[in-house]
């Protein structure tokens, strides 16, 4: 068993980024269920994210989504976040919610629409300059619904062209993270459907481009930890969008559907010594809370990542390596399962106490009165929701 003191050190330094969109109203294409007390402005989303950090101590930044978090003064938004105790993290571009993008954004057959989409990507880098953000995260809804609708290779060329122009605009300290998703909203072809396509584009662009693994963006049964291991080996894993899924891009709480998968993924990160901040892996949540209260759901998600990380850190690496060398299949598997089956909740409770936090963040949040305060205070205005 790994040294608990060392495990605590690593867990104390872990940083998990929250998505501002998790705090707004969301739903499915069938219904968005409004919740009372939902933020109405980007600043109120920051306030809610800051609560998650206050009670967990490991979520010091919030990713923004543009235009959902559009403000006049982004440096001002960064200062607001700092006052609230957190920072603005990754800037997510959004080129999927404009009528112009019916046939795609950066891969659209119309050069005028492609130029508009590229303009937005560049605008997102301007925002990063103002907020001090390191990462631009790109996810494209681009694709086609019918065979013959457009030229598959031409769309790849258009994508490469837009990515290159965006990459050019990055400062040396900034990065571009390219996300993939196998399908939806396009159903016949998707222009960045898998890690291979994303990786090919990133390699062509240069060292400041890396792949984002959104855990909800794979077909059922895909071995995500294998993808993670391969990308880590290539030095091209830029980060994670954590969430969990039963069927498709469900965006449920990370570690809820398959905590063992989350452990296996984080175990690959630990094995590559990539938890260290210098390894440059962004640990982000990309979730929506459609039926459950949002702030406690984010707290719970952060805790789920911590629990899986703790278990991954507890793997007895020398014992595992010895069993692997000896060809001891069952012994090696047992080493891994011993770590997974360890109850790490007492260790994490202790860590929180050592950090001056309540050992039970969810209970502490409920006791704090914040939920009642926002329900009473956030009256009038338009609640933030998916798409606004
Ligand atoms: C996409 C993708 C992006 C996220 C949007 C809201 O499916 O996962 O990361 O920003 O959804
Ligand atoms: Mn995502």
């Amino acid at each position: 068993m790994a040294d608990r003191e060392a495990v605590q050190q690593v867990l104390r330094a872990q940083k998990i980024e929250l998505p501002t969109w998790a705090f707004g109203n969301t739903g499915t294409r069938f219904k968005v269920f409004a919740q009372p007390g939902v933020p109405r402005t980007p600043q109120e989303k920051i306030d809610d994210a800051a609560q998650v950090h206050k009670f967990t101590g490991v979520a010091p930044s919030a990713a923004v989504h543009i235009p959902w978090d559009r403000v006049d003064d982004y440096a001002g938004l960064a200062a607001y976040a700092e006052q609230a105790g957190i920072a603005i993290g990754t800037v997510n571009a959004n080129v999927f919610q404009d009528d112009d993008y019916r046939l795609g954004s950066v891969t659209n057959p119309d050069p005028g629409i492609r130029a508009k989409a590229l303009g937005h990507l560049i605008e997102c880098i301007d925002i990063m300059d103002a907020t001090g953000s390191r990462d631009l995260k790109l996810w494209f809804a681009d694709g086609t619904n019918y065979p013959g609708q457009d030229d598959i290779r031409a769309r790849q060329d258009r994508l490469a062209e837009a990515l290159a122009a965006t990459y050019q605009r990055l400062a040396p300290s900034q990065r571009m993270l390219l996300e993939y998703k196998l399908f939806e909203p396009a159903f016949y072809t998707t222009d960045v459907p898998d890690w291979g396509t994303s990786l090919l584009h990133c390699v062509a662009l240069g060292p400041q481009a890396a792949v984002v693994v959104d855990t909800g963006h794979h077909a059922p049964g895909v071995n995500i930890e294998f993808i993670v291991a391969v990308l880590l080996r290539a030095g091209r894993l830029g980060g994670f969008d954590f969430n969990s899924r039963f069927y498709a891009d469900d965006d449920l709480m990370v570690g809820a559907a398959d905590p063992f998968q989350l452990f296996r993924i984080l175990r690959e990160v630990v094995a590559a010594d990539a938890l260290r901040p210098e390894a440059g892996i962004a640990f982000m949540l990309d979730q929506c809370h459609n039926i459950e209260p949002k702030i406690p759901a984010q707290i719970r998600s952060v805790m789920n990542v911590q629990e899986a990380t703790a278990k991954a850190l507890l793997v007895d690496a020398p014992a595992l390596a010895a069993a692997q060398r000896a060809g001891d299949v069952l012994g090696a598997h047992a080493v891994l399962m011993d770590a997974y089956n360890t109850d790490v909740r007492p260790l994490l409770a202790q860590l929180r106490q050592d950090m001056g936090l309540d050992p039970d963040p969810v209970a502490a949040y409920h006791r704090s009165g914040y939920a009642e305060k926002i329900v009473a205070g956030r009256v009038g205005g338009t609640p933030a929701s998916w798409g606004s």
Side-chain angles (χ1 to χ4, degrees), residues 21 65 68 92-93 96 137 139 179 181 214 217 241 243 249 251 286 386:
W21 54 100
H65 219 297
W68 300 343
N92 288 254
F96 50 86
K137 179 143 66 73
W139 173 74
E179 189 173 346
K181 179 166 118 168
D214 182 314
H217 287 189
D241 265 5
N243 52 53
D249 191 18
D251 286 332
D286 178 11
W386 204 83

Side-chain angles (χ1 to χ4, degrees), residues 10-309:
V10 179
L11 290 169
R12 190 186 272 262
Q14 186 173 33
K15 291 184 171 42
I16 298 159
E17 184 160 297
L18 311 176
T20 53
W21 54 100
F23 301 100
N25 283 325
T26 49
T28 63
R29 61 203 166 90
F30 298 103
K31 170 74 180 163
V32 171
F33 294 102
Q35 293 188 15
V38 151
R40 297 155 301 174
T41 61
Q43 287 81 358
E44 288 181 348
K45 292 185 212 171
I46 301 277
D47 291 341
D48 289 4
Q51 289 293 307
V52 178
H53 181 49
K54 179 175 168 195
F55 291 103
T56 62
V58 293
S61 63
V64 291
H65 219 297
I66 311 296
W68 300 343
D69 294 308
R70 196 180 283 294
V71 291
D72 292 334
D73 174 11
Y74 288 97
L77 189 66
Y80 184 91
E82 199 185 330
Q83 281 286 317
I86 61 170
I88 304 287
T90 303
V91 174
N92 288 254
N94 181 328
V95 282
F96 50 86
Q97 285 187 312
D98 193 295
D99 282 338
D100 275 345
Y101 299 139
R102 184 172 59 91
L103 300 180
S105 62
V106 292
T107 66
N108 196 297
D110 180 336
I113 294 173
R114 293 207 295 278
K116 169 175 165 171
L118 176 59
H120 175 67
L121 305 188
I122 301 293
E123 177 201 4
C124 286
I125 304 179
D126 295 339
I127 294 170
M128 290 161 66
D129 291 343
T131 54
S133 300
R134 178 187 61 176
D135 294 337
L136 171 68
K137 179 143 66 73
L138 304 177
W139 173 74
F140 297 106
D142 295 41
T144 64
N145 270 359
Y146 294 99
Q149 180 189 320
D150 199 1
D151 183 308
I152 293 174
R153 279 184 299 140
R155 291 179 76 93
Q156 287 298 310
D157 292 343
R158 297 171 203 149
L159 172 64
E161 198 180 310
L163 292 176
T166 309
Y167 189 88
Q168 285 294 313
R169 167 66 184 80
L170 292 173
S173 59
Q174 294 172 334
R175 308 192 304 173
M176 178 197 281
L177 305 182
L178 182 57
E179 189 173 346
Y180 60 89
K181 179 166 118 168
L182 78 162
F183 83 113
E184 197 200 22
F187 294 112
Y188 169 57
T189 59
T190 291
D191 294 319
V192 191
D194 52 29
W195 67 273
T197 308
S198 175
L199 180 63
L200 280 176
H201 283 285
C202 289
V203 168
L205 289 163
Q208 287 164 257
V211 180
V212 174
V213 174
D214 182 314
T215 47
H217 287 189
H218 307 83
V222 166
N223 182 332
I224 299 176
E225 62 269 26
F226 177 83
I227 298 170
V228 168
V230 169
L231 290 173
L232 281 166
R233 183 171 177 275
R236 292 289 180 158
L237 180 65
F240 291 98
D241 265 5
F242 282 130
N243 52 53
S244 69
R245 68 189 287 279
F246 289 102
Y247 299 104
D249 191 18
D250 305 351
D251 286 332
L252 302 175
M253 291 189 301
V254 58
D258 188 349
F260 184 44
Q261 179 190 60
L262 182 62
F263 160 78
R264 298 193 311 266
I265 290 171
L266 285 162
R267 144 95 194 122
E268 288 308 322
V269 175
V270 169
D273 196 21
L275 273 184
R276 291 170 302 115
E278 315 81 69
I281 315 293
F283 298 92
M284 302 173 280
L285 305 183
D286 178 11
Q287 299 181 177
C288 295
H289 306 294
N290 301 346
I291 59 168
E292 66 275 30
K294 298 160 198 301
I295 297 172
Q298 285 283 293
I299 294 175
R300 167 111 214 171
S301 304
V302 168
M303 294 169 69
N304 286 354
V305 175
Q306 282 185 300
E307 285 178 20
T309 308

